[in-house]
């Protein structure tokens, strides 16, 4: 198993659509449609990012920020190839 990657995010729940906005300070700003109640926005941001990164949602863990828009996610790639691809996508997102 490869080393995990930390991803600080700022989540904007209740948006019109799920989308990655780009860099906000040292965080990735992500909009999700789900409301900020009962963990719905947390689940949706994990599912959305997993889909966009091409990983299983089980590979993304919410480390802290369950009740805050400021969150830290841990992405655990399965192999070196996946790790390289995820890092490239994250780098591209942070340059938006």
């Amino acid at each position: 198993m490869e080393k995990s990657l930390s991803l600080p995010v700022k989540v904007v729940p209740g948006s019109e659509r799920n989308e990655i906005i780009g860099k906000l300070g040292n965080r990735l700003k992500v909009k999700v449609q789900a409301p900020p109640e009962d963990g719905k926005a947390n689940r949706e941001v994990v599912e959305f990012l997993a889909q966009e990164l091409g990983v299983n949602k089980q590979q993304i863990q919410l480390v802290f920020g369950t009740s805050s828009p400021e969150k830290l996610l841990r992405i655990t790639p399965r192999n070196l190839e996946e790790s390289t691809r995820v890092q490239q996508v994250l780098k591209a997102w942070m340059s938006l």
Side-chain angles (χ1 to χ4, degrees):
M1 187 177 295
E2 295 299 312
K3 185 177 178 184
S4 64
L5 306 166
S6 293
L7 177 61
V9 295
K10 160 79 177 194
V11 177
V12 180
S15 297
E16 286 186 24
R17 62 183 179 174
N18 294 342
E19 64 181 322
I20 295 158
I21 302 301
K23 188 176 178 180
L24 179 66
N26 69 335
R27 297 183 177 280
L28 181 67
K29 187 174 180 181
V30 181
K31 290 184 175 183
V32 294
Q33 292 177 310
E37 57 190 36
D38 301 323
K40 291 177 184 176
N42 290 337
R43 285 189 297 276
E44 190 156 325
V45 76
V46 167
E47 290 172 8
F48 174 61
L49 289 176
Q51 180 181 356
E52 294 294 307
L53 289 168
V55 300
N56 293 324
K57 65 182 179 181
Q58 293 82 6
Q59 291 175 257
I60 301 179
Q61 178 184 29
L62 178 61
V63 177
F64 68 78
T66 56
S67 61
S68 167
E70 307 281 328
K71 302 180 185 305
L72 181 64
L73 302 175
R74 179 181 299 132
I75 304 164
T76 307
R78 292 175 289 193
N79 53 49
L80 183 58
E81 179 182 313
E82 192 172 77
S83 178
T84 301
R85 181 175 41 78
V86 167
Q87 288 179 46
Q88 289 173 343
V89 171
L90 293 176
K91 185 177 179 181
W93 286 345
M94 295 302 274
S95 68
L96 293 177

